Amino acid sequence: MQIRVRLTLQFILIASGILLAAFSYIYFQFKRNLQDEFYANLRSKALLIAEMVAGKKSSGEEFKIESFTASESFLSGEYPENISIYDLDGRRLYSFNPAPDDIRQVALMDVKVNGECRFIHRKFNALGVLYTNKAGGRFIIVAESVFDNVHLNNLTRILILVFLIAITMIACGGWLFSRQALAPISRIMNQVDALLPTDMSHRLVASNQHDELSRLVITFNKLLDRIQSVFRMQKMFLSNISHELKNPLNVITSQVEVTLGQERQKEVYRGTLQSVLADVKELNNVTDKLMQLARISSDGATIHFEKVRADELIWQAKEMLLKHHPEYTIRFEVVNLPDQESKLYVKGNEQLLKTALVNLMDNGCKYSPDHQVEVRLLYTHDGRTRMEIADQGPGISQEESHLVFDAFYRSPKTSGLKGSGIGLSLVDSILKLHQVDIQLKSESGKGTHFILTFPAESKPEPVTSPS
């Protein structure tokens, strides 16, 4: 069922329920008022006849009682109303119209006890009243009449007619209202259908910027931004990875072919193998980074987190980097060392954090003329751990600062150096996984300064130092 039809039906059901409740209240209130007016008239007539007939009589002996005859029985069902007078023992003393005396004694006793009582007698609605005249005589006056339903039936027909007309108008209005309400959704659907996978630059446009549909459009546009970013990364991946993998493979192939072209001396073979080994290590480094990036992107929820010391992370990352690049210089200092050892710890995955630090240090040393970086570990007053990594390299311009964390992006300034463009993208993914804020401060020609701020923990957990 379409949403428009469902909205219209729901609108009709809600309106029908409201109308039925209102009309039911009107019907029963009108019926109650008619009945109250009917019984008020019966009471007036009963008291009037009582004053006329029994106003000065003190006992039932003063009444001339006429017996009901069979010749009058045919009139018993024809008269529209009747008024009868009974004594307190339930004996009829007077009747305005000839009728059989078959009122239940229980009804008369209720009148005697309660002073007034309504009851049904055959086809009549009856009212019994306890009457006391001026002479002190007490009698039970019973006035009965047929309740006229003409006005109630007319009201019922009017309410039914109004209900049908109102439901028809509500159905038409609901159909138009649902079309108007769903028109923005239809426009959004048409805009979505017009999007092409070959051109992801178009975005949805919302007519109103302050309703829920505009929020939906904004959310969808953000999704399109992410999809476009993924497509752009995919294109960069295809173009860059083919270059990063194909070039070393071509170099390895050409070196091996040239070496095998004729007999060489032992030193030549050794130099060729060393060059091939360096290219293979570079390929292995690229594939390792790609595998780590893919693991974080696809399975970040299953990565294990634990308490690790921040200073030990930096020392281990420094040793790992110097083991492969002994020509690098890394200066490390700790500022504001906390008194409690528990504050030295951060929560995260040790291997991934070391990988991020190694990549940041490696980039700083690689692009600095003196192959040197400065690393500082600070502890702030609000319980946060901060790491700063600064170099004296060529720096990053303002235009490139938002691109350096994109996968496979490489600045034209560093195109002459070996690199895959994966390192900073991997760093960014690792830090986002750990909810670590990273800031980049850099100016062209004045070096680069990375600031890593770890989240503060509200309740520090007790940590045992590793054995």
Side-chain angles (χ1 to χ4, degrees):
M1 183 183 294
Q2 293 184 351
I3 296 179
R4 185 179 181 183
V5 177
R6 187 159 58 246
L7 285 176
T8 304
L9 292 178
Q10 291 175 352
F11 192 66
I12 292 174
L13 289 176
I14 293 173
S16 300
I18 296 174
L19 286 177
L20 283 176
F23 288 174
S24 299
Y25 175 78
I26 293 173
Y27 175 84
F28 288 109
Q29 193 67 26
F30 184 75
K31 181 179 179 181
R32 180 181 178 182
N33 292 338
L34 283 179
Q35 290 178 342
D36 290 342
E37 184 179 356
F38 171 79
Y39 283 111
N41 290 333
L42 284 182
R43 193 175 190 279
S44 298
K45 293 178 181 179
L47 294 177
L48 178 63
I49 295 297
E51 286 290 334
M52 294 174 58
V53 177
K56 297 182 180 181
K57 296 181 174 61
S58 59
S59 65
E61 302 298 333
E62 301 181 31
F63 286 86
K64 180 181 179 181
I65 304 174
E66 297 181 0
S67 61
F68 173 72
T69 61
S71 62
E72 296 170 328
S73 63
F74 72 96
L75 296 173
S76 63
E78 300 298 329
Y79 61 90
E81 61 182 14
N82 188 27
I83 298 176
S84 302
I85 301 177
Y86 292 82
D87 59 14
L88 297 182
D89 295 330
R91 183 168 59 92
R92 187 166 74 172
L93 305 176
Y94 172 82
S95 179
F96 186 78
N97 285 312
D101 184 13
D102 56 355
I103 294 179
R104 295 176 300 168
Q105 291 295 317
V106 176
L108 297 176
M109 290 302 103
D110 287 342
V111 177
K112 180 180 178 180
V113 173
N114 299 318
E116 185 172 325
C117 182
R118 297 178 182 181
F119 59 91
I120 302 297
H121 177 221
R122 295 200 302 268
K123 66 177 182 178
F124 303 106
N125 291 70
L127 174 69
V129 180
L130 184 62
Y131 170 73
T132 303
N133 62 12
K134 296 178 181 180
R138 302 182 68 195
F139 304 94
I140 298 175
I141 314 300
V142 177
E144 54 185 356
S145 179
V146 177
F147 182 73
D148 190 2
N149 289 319
V150 174
H151 297 298
L152 197 60
N153 293 335
N154 290 337
L155 177 64
T156 302
R157 285 192 293 269
I158 291 173
L159 291 179
I160 292 175
L161 179 61
V162 172
F163 179 79
L164 294 177
I165 295 174
I167 289 300
T168 303
M169 296 177 64
I170 289 171
C172 297
W175 184 256
L176 295 176
F177 170 77
S178 60
R179 184 181 69 176
Q180 182 180 3
L182 296 175
I185 299 179
S186 299
R187 289 194 293 269
I188 293 174
M189 293 172 59
N190 293 333
Q191 294 182 50
V192 173
D193 290 337
L195 294 176
L196 298 175
T198 56
D199 185 9
M200 299 296 295
S201 61
H202 294 286
R203 294 294 180 266
L204 305 184
V205 180
S207 57
N208 188 350
Q209 299 296 328
H210 303 287
D211 57 6
E212 288 78 4
L213 289 179
S214 64
R215 292 177 56 190
L216 175 64
V217 169
I218 293 172
T219 304
F220 193 83
N221 285 337
K222 291 180 179 178
L223 176 62
L224 289 177
D225 291 338
R226 292 193 292 269
I227 294 175
Q228 185 179 17
S229 176
V230 171
F231 282 176
R232 185 173 63 250
M233 289 179 60
Q234 185 181 23
K235 291 179 181 179
M236 292 179 62
F237 173 81
L238 293 176
S239 61
N240 286 278
I241 201 64
S242 60
H243 177 269
E244 296 296 333
L245 295 180
K246 188 175 181 181
N247 282 354
L249 289 175
N250 288 336
V251 172
I252 293 173
T253 303
S254 61
Q255 286 179 334
V256 173
E257 288 178 347
V258 170
T259 304
L260 294 177
Q262 61 182 9
E263 290 293 331
R264 308 278 181 176
Q265 294 181 358
K266 183 179 179 180
E267 290 75 12
V268 176
Y269 287 115
R270 181 181 295 274
T272 301
L273 290 176
Q274 288 177 347
S275 177
V276 170
L277 179 60
D279 291 332
V280 170
K281 286 182 178 180
E282 185 65 26
L283 284 175
N284 187 48
N285 184 33
V286 172
T287 54
D288 284 343
K289 290 180 179 179
L290 287 174
M291 290 177 64
Q292 287 181 327
L293 188 61
R295 179 192 173 196
I296 294 172
S297 302
S298 63
D299 200 19
T302 60
I303 296 176
H304 177 66
F305 284 72
E306 60 184 357
K307 291 285 186 177
V308 292
R309 282 189 58 148
D311 54 345
E312 291 183 358
L313 274 176
I314 298 176
W315 278 112
Q316 291 174 11
K318 174 183 176 182
E319 292 176 358
M320 289 175 59
L321 183 60
L322 294 178
K323 182 178 180 180
H324 296 89
H325 299 280
E327 71 278 10
Y328 288 172
T329 301
I330 301 173
R331 295 182 178 179
F332 173 48
E333 65 173 330
V334 180
V335 181
N336 298 332
L337 187 67
D339 298 332
Q340 299 178 1
E341 185 183 2
S342 60
K343 295 183 179 180
L344 295 171
Y345 289 80
V346 294
K347 190 173 183 179
N349 183 275
E350 182 178 1
Q351 187 60 40
L352 291 179
L353 289 176
K354 285 193 291 187
T355 300
L357 293 174
V358 167
N359 276 279
L360 290 174
M361 295 178 188
D362 184 29
N363 274 5
C365 292
K366 182 190 299 183
Y367 299 123
S368 295
D370 55 358
H371 301 298
Q372 176 178 300
V373 293
E374 294 182 0
V375 182
R376 300 177 67 198
L377 177 61
L378 302 91
Y379 296 91
T380 60
H381 297 292
D382 57 355
R384 296 177 183 269
T385 302
R386 192 168 70 190
M387 300 179 184
E388 299 181 0
I389 302 172
D391 62 58
Q392 299 299 322
I396 300 172
S397 63
Q398 189 69 26
E399 295 76 14
E400 293 180 309
S401 60
H402 66 284
L403 299 174
V404 293
F405 293 107
D406 291 345
F408 307 108
Y409 174 80
R410 297 200 66 196
S411 173
K413 299 177 183 179
T414 60
S415 58
L417 298 174
K418 283 188 176 182
S420 59
I422 305 174
L424 288 181
S425 175
L426 179 60
V427 169
D428 184 55
S429 299
I430 293 174
L431 296 182
K432 284 182 178 178
L433 180 66
H434 289 78
Q435 298 180 356
V436 175
D437 178 63
I438 181 170
Q439 293 180 336
L440 171 61
K441 295 182 179 180
S442 179
E443 293 183 19
S444 183
K446 295 185 179 181
T448 304
H449 188 188
F450 289 98
I451 302 174
L452 281 58
T453 305
F454 287 77
E457 296 190 13
S458 56
K459 293 183 180 180
E461 301 176 5
V463 181
T464 57
S465 27
S467 55

